[in-house]
Amino acid sequence: ALPILESCMPPTKSLHVTGHCYCGAVTYRVDMPAGKRPRFALYCHCESCRRAHAAALSQVVCVDTTMMTITAGAELVTEFSKPPRGPVRAFCSACGTRMYNAFPAWKPDDGTTPMVFFTNTLNQATMLELPERFRPTGHNYSEECVLDLARLEELLAASQP
């Protein structure tokens, strides 16, 4: 018999995590019910995300909009979308931290309304011990990657004690 990988099995416990923007004015909570997984968790290399984040890549987790709640500072959340088909990018108007992307035109067959949040905004303890459900399983727009991933891996390995 083949071993059953834990990551392939439906999660038996609900998952609740919190996060915030850089200045702390906008806070949020993600509540993922037992049996549910994100639509995807990955590294995005697209030019659009790189410019929006001023970073070489972003780490995103896609959940249904009903799973994420802004718990404080909703009045500071500003949304921007670049026509003709850009996602709605939400950020804290006080410090500029990107909070989430919404995709109003994306209507999956399962009736959900997908959005992505950025794991770099999770609370520090959660980021350091990222739940298995939120760990990236791949790369999006890898053809647009500007990082030398092999060199990055070398440097990471060399910096380990």
Side-chain angles (χ1 to χ4, degrees):
L2 293 173
I4 297 174
L5 298 176
E6 184 177 321
S7 63
C8 296
M9 299 178 65
T12 58
K13 295 182 180 179
S14 58
L15 178 62
H16 309 281
V17 295
T18 58
H20 58 86
C21 64
Y22 180 67
C23 71
V26 177
T27 62
Y28 68 90
R29 183 181 71 245
V30 174
D31 298 303
M32 185 163 285
K36 295 286 185 180
R37 291 193 171 280
R39 183 172 292 277
F40 56 78
L42 49 79
Y43 297 110
C44 187
H45 299 275
C46 79
E47 189 259 350
S48 173
C49 283
R50 289 195 325 265
R51 289 194 185 277
H53 286 275
L57 58 80
S58 59
Q59 187 172 335
V60 300
V61 176
C62 184
V63 297
D64 186 69
T65 55
T66 60
M67 294 181 190
M68 183 175 180
T69 305
I70 300 294
T71 54
E75 70 282 0
L76 294 173
V77 175
T78 299
E79 294 184 342
F80 170 81
S81 184
K82 183 179 176 183
R85 59 179 183 85
V88 174
R89 298 180 185 279
F91 59 94
C92 171
S93 61
C95 68
T97 300
R98 295 283 312 289
M99 301 307 298
Y100 61 85
N101 284 356
F103 306 92
W106 183 14
K107 303 292 184 205
D109 292 339
D110 63 5
T112 61
T113 306
M115 63 175 300
V116 298
F117 71 92
F118 308 99
T119 57
N120 60 311
T121 61
L122 290 169
N123 289 327
Q124 185 70 10
T126 304
M127 277 194 301
L128 293 174
E129 294 293 329
L130 195 62
E132 181 273 327
R133 283 188 250 182
F134 293 165
R135 291 187 187 141
T137 59
H139 294 265
N140 195 30
Y141 291 97
S142 57
E143 69 279 6
E144 296 183 28
C145 180
V146 296
L147 289 171
D148 179 345
L149 295 176
R151 179 67 177 142
L152 181 61
E153 289 295 327
E154 288 174 20
L155 293 170
L156 287 169
S159 68
Q160 300 300 315

